[in-house]
Amino acid sequence: QLRGANLRVVVTGSAGYVGQECVRLITLHGGSVVGIDRYPDRVDGTPSTLVADLGDPNEVSDSLDRAVSRLGGLDAVVCAAAVMHQNATTDASVGVGGWLHTMQVNVDGVITLLQGSHPHLARSRGPRSAVVVGSLVAALGSASSELAYTASKGALTSACREMAIVWAKDGIRLNVVAPGPLAGGLFPVGEEDSVETQRLKRIPLRRRGSATEVANVVHFLLSDHASYITGAVIPVDGGASAAFLA
C-alpha cells in the first residue's frame, strides 16, 4: 500500500472520467477528498462535492476555500477538470467564445486553483504535492485537429513545469500526467472502425487506456514514493509518444 494514505485532497473535475477514478483510489487508500465539479449530478460515490465553474476565478477561489475548510487543511491537489468545445476544434471553425472558454477553464482555472492552494500546501506536514492531468497532444499535437484544446494543454504543461521550479523551494512537488487516447472522457470514442483502426496503429499497445491506468499514476505521484519527482510530464499513452510517427 502506498504511503501517504491519509491525505487531504482536492480533486477538480471529480465527476469526470479520470477525476472519478482518482477520487475512488484516494479514498480507497484512506484519503479524504473534496471534489469540485460543474456537474455534481454525474458523481457516483464522491464523498463531498462542491459545484463551481472553473472558468470563473471567483468561483475557483471560493470553492477552494470551502474545500480546505471541510478537509481541515490540504495535503494535495489533483486538477483533472477540462473542456473541449466541439465548435472549437479546427482553425477554420474555432470561435472567439469557444477559444476563450477553453483557455479560461483549462489554463486560467487550473493556475488560479494551484496558486490558491500553495499556502495551504506549504503548511501541510504530509507529502505535499499537486498533479495536473494534461494530455499527449500538448507535445505532439492531435491527428484530429483540436486547436483550442491542444493549445490549452500545451500552455498548461509549460506553466506547470515553471511553477514546479518555484514550488520546490517550499518542498511542494508539482507534476503533470499526460494521457493518450482513453476509453472515455473527452477523447473521441465510437468513431468509424477505419478511423479507430488508424488511431490504434499509432499506439504500440494497440488499445486505448483506462481511467484507472491514469489514476494509478496520479495516486503514485501524490504519495511519498514519488518524493524525488517534480516538474515531470509523465506519459500514460500506451507508448504513443515514443513511436507517434511510426
Side-chain angles (χ1 to χ4, degrees):
Q1 186 175 12
L2 290 177
R3 290 170 289 174
N6 297 318
L7 296 176
R8 298 165 297 179
V9 188
V10 168
V11 177
T12 69
S14 58
Y17 181 62
V18 172
Q20 283 196 53
E21 191 63 12
C22 288
V23 170
R24 188 189 71 81
L25 278 179
I26 294 167
T27 55
L28 179 66
H29 288 87
S32 300
V33 177
V34 171
I36 301 174
D37 202 282
R38 191 174 182 181
Y39 305 104
D41 56 308
R42 299 180 186 176
V43 177
D44 180 16
T46 300
S48 180
T49 305
L50 300 174
V51 181
D53 179 359
L54 295 178
D56 184 327
N58 293 324
E59 291 194 27
V60 172
S61 297
D62 178 66
S63 61
L64 177 61
D65 289 343
R66 287 188 289 147
V68 173
S69 177
R70 288 191 185 186
L71 291 168
L74 187 66
D75 302 309
V77 175
V78 176
C79 298
V83 296
M84 181 192 297
H85 286 279
Q86 295 302 313
N87 64 343
T89 55
T90 68
D91 55 355
S93 65
V94 63
V96 173
W99 173 275
L100 289 177
H101 186 246
T102 301
M103 294 300 170
Q104 287 166 350
V105 175
N106 295 4
V107 184
D108 300 346
V110 178
I111 299 302
T112 298
L113 186 129
L114 289 174
Q115 289 176 330
S117 70
H118 179 273
H120 301 291
L121 294 173
R123 289 191 291 269
S124 168
R125 296 182 179 179
R128 300 169 287 183
S129 63
V131 179
V132 173
V133 179
S135 175
L136 171 71
V137 302
L140 299 178
S142 174
S144 56
S145 181
E146 302 157 357
L147 179 61
Y149 180 81
T150 298
S152 71
K153 289 300 186 179
L156 179 60
T157 299
S158 296
C160 287
R161 295 180 69 178
E162 191 77 12
M163 291 179 73
I165 298 170
V166 177
W167 283 21
K169 65 180 176 58
D170 296 316
I172 305 171
R173 298 180 297 105
L174 172 57
N175 294 288
V176 177
V177 173
L182 301 179
L186 297 178
F187 291 81
V189 180
E191 297 174 306
E192 296 179 6
D193 290 344
S194 59
V195 175
E196 183 67 3
T197 298
Q198 289 302 313
R199 174 175 281 107
L200 295 183
K201 283 183 178 179
R202 302 187 184 96
I203 305 173
L205 289 183
R206 295 296 190 266
R207 65 175 177 84
R208 290 173 178 259
S210 70
T212 301
E213 289 170 312
V214 177
N216 280 334
V217 178
V218 171
H219 190 235
F220 164 72
L221 290 171
L222 292 179
S223 78
D224 59 4
H225 280 305
S227 58
Y228 202 54
I229 302 175
T230 195
V233 180
I234 300 180
V236 185
D237 61 12
S241 57
F244 197 65
L245 297 179

